[in-house]
Amino acid sequence: MKKVVPSTIIVGAQWGDEGKGKMVDFLAERIDIVVRYNGGCNAGHTVKVGNKVFKLHLIPSGVVQRKIAVIGNGVVIDPKVLVEEVESLKNEGIKLNLLISYKAHVTMPYHKIFDKRKEAKRKEVKIGTTGRGIGPTYADKMKRTEAIRILDLVSEHFSEKLLRILELKVLELLEFGLIKSKDELEDYRKKIIKEYSLYIEKIKEFVFDTSLFLNKSLDEGRTILFEGAQGSLLDVEHGTYPFVTSSNTTAGGACTGTGVGPKRIDKVIGIAKAYTTRVGFGPFPTELNNDIGEFLREKGKEYGTTTGRPRRCGWLDTVILRYAKRINSLDELVLTKLDVLSGIKKLKICTAYELKGKVMKEFPTSISALEKCKPLYIELDGWKEFDGNELKEILRKGFKALPKNAKTYVNKIKELVGIPITIISVGPEREETIVLKD
């Protein structure tokens, strides 16, 4: 196991779904606190321990390791999903030590309706939302006058604040059929209060000043793992806008989303698959709409944890990994799902793009340019499937026991991206992990 530093950010280096859940669970063994800093229940982090599979959407993955789990202020919380997740973990015998920021914003029932129906109205220009109400929740957060925070939810003034907000939203409520006339506004408010009062009773014990807790914990010598949701290319500022999520998925989001300052961050680790996937719409230069793409999808079980949507699959793209390295200040890279590539005779890695006859090694600044980019590849020999005994030997001996061509593939990625690869995942189990020396 690698040496532990006080505070480490885990960030997706592609379009999300890189295997952050497994790696947070793996690294959390020697960590005191895991804090989720962005996104909402549109995220899906899967942790497999033996025969049990935990699918988490709001609570940090480190909770499976019985660590202190913190939901930071940068997260938007659907109370219904949160309560279901808490109860599911309790039913699995996991004792929760959960803290929720009182500054986190709350997804309301109308947010989910707005999300789904606005996406339906976009027709040809859909952005690929999950329909979980995340975008509208963040939009209300930025409006400042139409948002509910956790501190409002657990306040005695929740009901009256909700009424003021519904009055501001009356035209939208009418447009999307949530009320038929303004006279129904009070009944709609009562309906929400009745539902959400059940959730309030179950989560109010967890509400806390988490920024204060995290900073004091660092002062006291505790270790913290900052868990990001989605991936760098889905960041609302630096991703493939508008085909992005509504939060800051990059490392900077860990500071704004938790109230821990940047000088207190010691390390940033990027998580990347050994190939590339993305869900939803938007440009994807190395996408494979062929048998190999289908092979990666089926072997890699590339279906969304939250929505079940099939993921688009393609060759590894080191242009976006170098971009992720730059915008996150990545110190090292964790490579997941290397095992999925086993059995493919010839592998390709994208090293640059071609745009209008020019070679581009840096990620383009505009979405229209990215849509026109042609990937430029190098080709490497693949390796055969390794059986159960060979996998055991690889896990026992480490990197040196990998097939020669697999080692060449990993070393080529390290060379092209320009940062160390320190951990390799070769299966979904916690133990199916190879730790390399720096």
Side-chain angles (χ1 to χ4, degrees), residues 239-256:
T240 49
Y241 190 92
F243 305 101
V244 294
T245 192
S246 301
S247 64
N248 291 115
T249 63
T250 43
C255 296
T256 58

Side-chain angles (χ1 to χ4, degrees), residues 313-340:
C313 299
W315 294 121
L316 185 72
D317 187 339
T318 59
V319 179
I320 69 172
L321 292 183
R322 289 194 296 271
Y323 179 62
K325 169 190 167 185
R326 167 159 59 92
I327 61 178
N328 291 292
S329 295
L330 297 182
D331 293 299
E332 56 191 67
L333 199 63
V334 170
L335 198 65
T336 65
K337 292 197 170 184
L338 184 67
D339 53 301
V340 175

